[in-house]
Amino acid sequence: MKAFKIALLAGTLVMATGFAPDWTITVAKTDAGHLIGNPDATTKVAEYISYTCSHCADFARSGDPALKIGYVRTGKVSVEIRHLLRDPIDLTAAMLTHCGAADKFALNHAAIMLSQDKWLPVAASSTQAQRNRWSNPDRAAARRAIAADLDFYQLMEGRGYRTTDIDRCLADSAMETKLVQASRDDTVRLGLRGTPSFTINGKLLDNVHNWPALQQAIDAQLVARPADKP
């Protein structure tokens, strides 16, 4: 019903103004990810990413903008970003990107991913004392320690969040459970072996881990369905 209302609103906008909507600003929460674009797009891309993966950061720089501007904006393609969690840092970052309303996600995601070259070396050179804090059985306390040591608090405050907002999101045990379970389920269901990985309409793309290869797969899908309309 929600997807129908969004599509109906977009259609009304086109008829009233003569201009097609920019679908890159339409963001909706899914079970454990975020869908960007037309919910009724006939070509549905899913990204499976890890915030501690350098290749994912490369894709965020080169692939995400091209995908959104060239394909998602038109309404023919949507993209869902999902999380393949490799470690507690990944989970901490993912929980922060989910902090707040759905329309905050895209820039939260970009802020953390595009600053990876600053915080990942800090994580790699962490002290034993830091790693002990990150292993605290109180998982919310552990995530607060990770966020403090890697300057995630400063990053999110720059996005307009208060410290209390950040702490609340890091303590969201329901979100933790949802993200961890979805990561496990997606890995098993699709046989994911690395990041970034991609699906189109639910089918895993073999040996596709960068923007040129993904663009080729999307173009092939669009050519195969020339009658489809956004």
Side-chain angles (χ1 to χ4, degrees), residues 92-107:
T92 300
M95 292 178 72
L96 290 176
T97 64
H98 282 249
C99 194
D103 61 4
K104 292 181 176 291
F105 170 78
L107 291 181

Side-chain angles (χ1 to χ4, degrees), residues 33-81:
H34 284 80
L35 180 73
I36 301 171
N38 181 1
D40 293 327
T42 54
T43 298
K44 303 179 189 300
V45 175
E47 296 180 24
Y48 297 84
I49 60 93
S50 162
Y51 288 105
T52 57
C53 159
S54 61
H55 297 296
C56 295
D58 290 340
F59 184 83
R61 294 185 186 95
S62 61
D64 273 333
L67 174 59
K68 289 177 182 177
I69 294 170
Y71 296 87
V72 174
R73 182 181 57 81
T74 67
K76 294 180 180 180
V77 177
S78 66
V79 57
E80 182 183 9
I81 299 178

Side-chain angles (χ1 to χ4, degrees), residues 18 66 122 184 188:
V122 177
R184 291 171 179 167
V188 172

Side-chain angles (χ1 to χ4, degrees), residues 108-178:
N108 289 346
H109 168 76
I112 289 180
M113 191 64 89
L114 297 181
S115 63
Q116 186 199 81
D117 60 342
K118 296 180 176 65
W119 56 260
L120 193 58
V122 177
S125 61
S126 59
T127 66
Q128 185 60 53
Q130 287 176 310
R131 292 192 292 274
N132 289 343
R133 291 196 300 273
W134 299 354
S135 300
N136 190 329
D138 180 341
R139 299 313 302 153
R143 287 190 288 272
R144 289 195 299 270
I146 290 171
D149 289 345
L150 302 186
D151 287 337
F152 288 164
Y153 277 97
Q154 181 179 358
L155 185 151
M156 295 300 287
E157 286 165 0
R159 291 273 304 121
Y161 289 86
R162 300 169 299 178
T163 300
T164 52
D165 299 326
I166 299 168
D167 287 344
R168 183 174 62 254
C169 290
L170 292 174
D172 189 343
S173 58
M175 177 57 66
E176 174 188 14
T177 299
K178 181 182 294 186

